[in-house]
Structures are given as C-alpha cells and as structure tokens.
C-alpha cells in the first residue's frame, strides 16, 4: 500500500496509548480514536489501581527483591493451574522490565515499587505503581504525552467500525462519530484496544453467568467491539469465560475499597456476622463467592492501623471521605452499627485474632502471616463486582491477531480486546494481569508495527 494516511490506527485510548507513544517514538504516524468522549474518567485504565507487574527491574534491584521473568511466569502458571496461554504470558513477563523502564525513562512516569504489601499469588514484590496508586493519574499522564506528540492525532468521541483488508492484509479502517458520520482512512496496521465485553450483559450472562448479576464496574463502551471486528475478519477468540471480579467495592460510594485492606489483615463477613471463605483466595474469585452469600453483600472489618496503611491509595481515601467507614470501640458496638448478630461477630473476630497470633489454625484456612486486628474496629460495606473481562481475540507474542492460528498481517489486539493471561474463569486472575496485558501487549504491538513498516 502506497503512502498510507497513518502507519498505525489505535482503537481505544487506554492502554492503547502506550502503542501510540512507542510507535510514534519509532517514527510512525498514529491515529488514536476512542468512542467515549469522557474516556479519561470512564475507561478501565482510569479505574484501575495502576499496578504494573514487572520482573527483574531496577526498582526491584534497588529494594533487594530477587525476581525474574521465569519466576513471574511460574506464578502465572500456578495461579491459572497452567491454563494461561504460555506464549503470551512469557512474552509479557520477558518484556515487563523493558516496559516499566520505558514508561519511566522515555515517558517520564514516576514509578515506585510496591513493597508495603503483596497481592495473593505473587511470590515477589513486583507491582510497580505511581503516587496515589490510581489509574486516572496514569491515564492522564499518557494522554498528555500523546497530545503533545507531533506524530499522534487523538480524536474522541470517534469509534472504529470496520477494518478493511486486501489479500488478507490490513489496508484501512472505517471510523465514525456518534451521529453516524463515517470516514475511510488508509493504514497498514490497526491495534484493537477497546477493552472487552463487560458492558454487554448478554455476553456476560452467556460466558460468565456466575458474576452476571453483580455490579459492573468498568467502562460503558466495553461492549465487545474487538470481538465483532475480529470475527468479521475470521479471527480466533478464546478464554471468553475469564474475567476480573472484585469483592472489595464500596457498596455506598461504588469506589474500590481495595484488597490491601484484606492483605494487611482485614477479614470479610456476611450479614450473619460470620466469615465464610479464606480471604487469601484472591479478590477476583472472592467476588463470585460473595455474590453467593445472603443479599450478595458483606463487610470488610479492619482497624485503625490498617486504615492508615491503606491511606496511600486515592480510592481508599475517597471511600473514607464518602462516609463509608463505620467505626466502633468494641465488636458489640460494631455489630449493632452494621446490623449483624453481636455474638457471631465477636466470636469470629476473636477466632481471627487467635489465628493471626498463631494460637490456632484459621477457621477458613487462611494461610498468610498477618497482624491481629485490634479495637477500635472499622467496617466497610462491600458488594461484588465485575471489573473487566479477560478473554478476547487470540494473539501471539507480538500481539498479532490470529485467524486459524495464522497472524492477520497488520491486525493487533491488546488488553481486554485480546486473550489475557488469567486462564479460565476468575480464579486465575493475578493482580496487575489486566494492566500488563493492556500496556504490555500495546508495547509489543508497537515494536512489531515499526519493524514491519521498515522491513
């Protein structure tokens, strides 16, 4: 194709901005479109905790953390019972250090290694985040960088309707405004970064019925556009039952309380005042467990020490400012305030304290080492939620979309538009899997796009 109007068209201004920035840095002319006029506060990247897992980084070395891509890959395999796509997981693990280094050094992102707690499933401190630990700050930074780059054009609201091919190779796209005005552009490469299909309740009910009744806490434009576009081109799809759930969404503020509350020693009870599952199970699979409890609701119980530790999160401070933290001097007062049986709650908290102190086995089989809770207590009402789907178009180690196991030249997918690295269902989700596939696959796609253009 002679002189395409753009070397790369990116659909989705979340993690897809990484592809735009990297490709432009390498000399490509890039168009980014997003269907959501308010994507900076409404897409899944903006709602995340900005945790980017990466192995073998300089931040880990400075902190004395021993880690490697192989160890990261082993953790993914263990969490998913070896069901995750090993080629994609391996490519992301191997490139993760280069990704965070590029974000810091080339894009000026202020990264830090999270060492104050560790999410279930990670055997090393490898989550890298930013001050405030909130995706809105991450996204705002990427948007500002993209808007300032002379080789990047960013348009919203504008959606990608179709990808055109000739002889099986990408040749152009059709983009459209919300009122239906469309335009055809020529390009040799397209990255689908439109997230998954969490906002399409019919698809959710079809592929993940156990979480279909839960609150959806994700971008409203995550309607499966990538699946539709990919299938028009004969692309393969997989892991459509995979998703990230979350059991720590504030019922009052609809803001993420955060699983750090639990990792630091908090416990979860239901309306009977009883714990009902080991909290070390992980926040994703715990969502479906919580959804099966009476009223599909519960409470996280913490203390003032944990509240102070969690105050580094923007989200937790928002929850606190919303009046969602119920404080009480004793277990009996707490039970009265939240409306659960006092005897049951007192018994559970006492048993949890003994288990945390090593005096007896944990009733629910919780396996972590934690500090015992102490009065005064804090309870936060929580509701289960679906955050985003983790299945999508099948891609290879370069983020190329496959059709019949063969790459479609010029077509790429990242984030929720592509298969993730969480295996099947909710139990394989490892903290940061969503963001590493969004940013990491976008990074790999940009590298491959430029090598293809210059070949």
């Amino acid at each position: 194709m002679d002189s395409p109007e753009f070397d790369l068209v990116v659909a989705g201004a979340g993690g897809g901005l990484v592809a735009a920035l990297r490709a432009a840095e390498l000399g490509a002319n890039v168009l980014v479109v997003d269907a959501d006029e308010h994507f900076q506060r409404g897409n899944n990247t903006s709602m995340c905790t900005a945790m980017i897992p990466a192995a073998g980084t300089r931040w880990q070395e400075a902190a004395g953390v021993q880690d490697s891509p192989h160890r990261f890959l082993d953790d993914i395999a263990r969490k998913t019972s070896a069901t995750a796509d090993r080629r994609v997981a391996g490519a992301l693990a191997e490139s993760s250090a280069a990704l965070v280094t590029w974000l810091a050094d080339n894009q000026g992102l202020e990264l830090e290694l999270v060492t104050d707690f560790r999410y279930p499933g990670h055997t090393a401190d490898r989550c890298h985040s930013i001050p405030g630990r909130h995706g809105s700050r991450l996204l705002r930074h990427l948007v500002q960088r993209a808007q300032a780059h002379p080789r990047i054009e960013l348009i919203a609201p504008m959606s990608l309707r179709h990808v055109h091919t000739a002889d099986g190779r990408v040749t152009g796209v059709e983009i459209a405004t919300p009122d239906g005005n469309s335009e055809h552009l020529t390009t040799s490469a397209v990255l689908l970064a439109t997230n998954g299909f969490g906002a399409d309740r019919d698809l959710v009910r079809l592929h993940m019925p156990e979480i279909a009744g839960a609150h959806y806490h994700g971008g409203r434009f995550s309607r499966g556009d990538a699946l539709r576009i990919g299938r028009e081109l004969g692309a393969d799809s997989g892991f459509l039952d995979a998703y990230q759930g979350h059991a720590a969404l504030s019922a009052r503020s609809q803001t993420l309380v955060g699983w750090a509350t639990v990792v630091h020693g908090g416990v979860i009870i239901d309306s009977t005042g009883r714990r009902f599952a080991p909290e070390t199970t992980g926040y994703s699979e715990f969502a479906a467990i919580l959804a099966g409890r009476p009223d599909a609701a519960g409470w996280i119980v913490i203390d003032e020490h944990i509240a102070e530790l969690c105050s580094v999160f923007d989200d937790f401070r928002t929850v606190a400012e919303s009046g969602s933290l119920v404080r009480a001097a004793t277990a009996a007062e707490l039970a009265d305030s939240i409306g659960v049986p006092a005897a049951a709650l007192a018994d559970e908290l006492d048993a949890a304290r003994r288990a945390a102190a090593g005096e007896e086995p944990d009733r629910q089989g919780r396996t972590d080492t934690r500090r015992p809770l102490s009065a005064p207590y804090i309870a936060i009402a929580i509701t289960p939620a679906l955050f985003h789907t983790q299945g999508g178009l099948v891609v290879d180690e370069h983020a190329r979309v496959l059709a019949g196991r063969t790459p479609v030249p010029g077509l790429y997918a990242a984030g929720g538009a592509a298969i993730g690295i969480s295996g099947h269902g909710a139990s394989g989700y490892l903290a940061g899997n969503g963001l590493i596939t969004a940013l990491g696959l976008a990074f790999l796609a940009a590298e491959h796009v430029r090598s293809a253009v210059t070949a």
Side-chain angles (χ1 to χ4, degrees), residues 268-276 343-345 347-348 363:
I268 298 179
I269 62 168
D270 62 15
S271 59
T272 69
R274 296 287 183 181
R275 290 172 64 214
F276 51 88
L345 179 59
D347 177 58
E348 286 292 343
R363 285 181 177 178

Side-chain angles (χ1 to χ4, degrees), residues 3-285:
S3 302
E5 292 167 270
F6 293 95
D7 298 305
L8 172 64
V9 172
V10 177
L17 291 171
V18 164
L21 288 163
R22 180 57 176 156
E25 182 179 70
L26 295 172
N29 294 316
V30 185
L31 171 66
V32 181
V33 297
D34 198 289
D36 187 359
E37 180 181 6
H38 305 293
F39 70 90
Q40 289 197 64
R41 64 172 183 269
N43 71 19
N44 284 65
T45 301
S46 72
M47 298 179 186
C48 76
T49 53
M51 296 285 173
I52 310 170
T57 72
R58 68 171 187 250
W59 293 269
Q60 290 177 308
E61 182 180 0
V65 174
Q66 298 297 314
D67 197 14
S68 68
H70 181 75
R71 184 172 180 175
F72 187 8
L73 187 58
D74 281 348
D75 287 350
I76 294 169
R78 187 180 306 107
K79 192 71 166 66
T80 63
S81 299
T83 61
D85 187 297
R86 192 169 181 87
R87 178 165 61 170
V88 173
L92 290 171
E94 288 290 343
S95 62
S96 60
L99 169 66
V100 294
T101 299
W102 175 82
L103 285 169
D105 294 352
N106 294 48
Q107 299 304 320
L109 197 63
E110 186 180 352
L111 287 175
E112 58 189 20
L113 182 67
V114 176
T115 58
D116 51 315
F117 75 100
R118 187 183 300 169
Y119 288 106
H122 287 290
T123 61
D125 293 331
R126 66 169 66 97
C127 285
H128 299 68
S129 192
I130 57 177
R133 300 179 182 180
H134 200 272
S136 61
R137 297 192 186 200
L138 168 65
L139 183 58
R140 182 165 57 249
H141 183 91
L142 295 177
V143 169
Q144 290 171 350
R145 299 286 296 196
Q147 289 175 331
H149 202 292
R151 289 187 175 273
I152 299 174
E153 184 175 350
L154 173 57
I155 305 176
M158 181 72 73
S159 61
L160 178 68
R161 293 289 180 85
H162 299 286
V163 173
H164 303 304
T165 61
D167 298 323
R169 182 179 297 276
V170 170
T171 58
V173 296
E174 178 188 345
I175 58 175
T177 59
D179 59 8
N181 291 323
S182 63
E183 182 180 359
H184 294 265
L185 301 171
T186 58
T187 183
S188 57
V190 173
L191 172 67
L192 301 174
T194 53
N195 203 259
F197 54 88
D200 187 318
R201 304 311 289 179
D202 290 336
L203 285 176
V204 171
R205 278 191 291 269
L206 175 65
H207 295 294
M208 47 197 71
E210 72 277 12
I211 201 68
H215 170 77
Y216 171 57
H217 191 71
R220 64 189 182 97
F221 285 88
S222 299
R223 301 170 181 164
D225 287 350
L227 281 177
R228 175 186 59 79
I229 292 170
R231 285 170 174 170
E232 288 176 352
L233 301 175
D236 305 327
S237 60
F239 299 97
L240 297 183
D241 62 330
Y243 64 94
Q244 183 208 341
H246 216 300
L249 188 73
S250 168
R252 175 169 180 163
S253 68
Q254 297 292 287
T255 300
L256 185 63
V257 178
W259 208 244
T261 53
V262 172
V263 177
H264 281 309
V267 298
I268 298 179
I269 62 168
D270 62 15
S271 59
T272 69
R274 296 287 183 181
R275 290 172 64 214
F276 51 88
E279 293 86 352
T280 44
T281 297
Y283 58 78
S284 182
E285 55 267 52

Side-chain angles (χ1 to χ4, degrees), residues 410-430:
L411 186 62
Y412 303 81
I419 57 170
I421 53 175
S422 299
H424 292 284
S427 61
Y429 191 84
L430 197 60

Side-chain angles (χ1 to χ4, degrees), residues 430-453:
L430 197 60
N433 274 9
L435 203 53
I436 190 63
T437 55
L439 307 186
L441 286 174
F443 187 77
L444 292 171
E447 299 261 302
H448 191 268
V449 164
R450 201 56 200 151
S451 66
V453 170

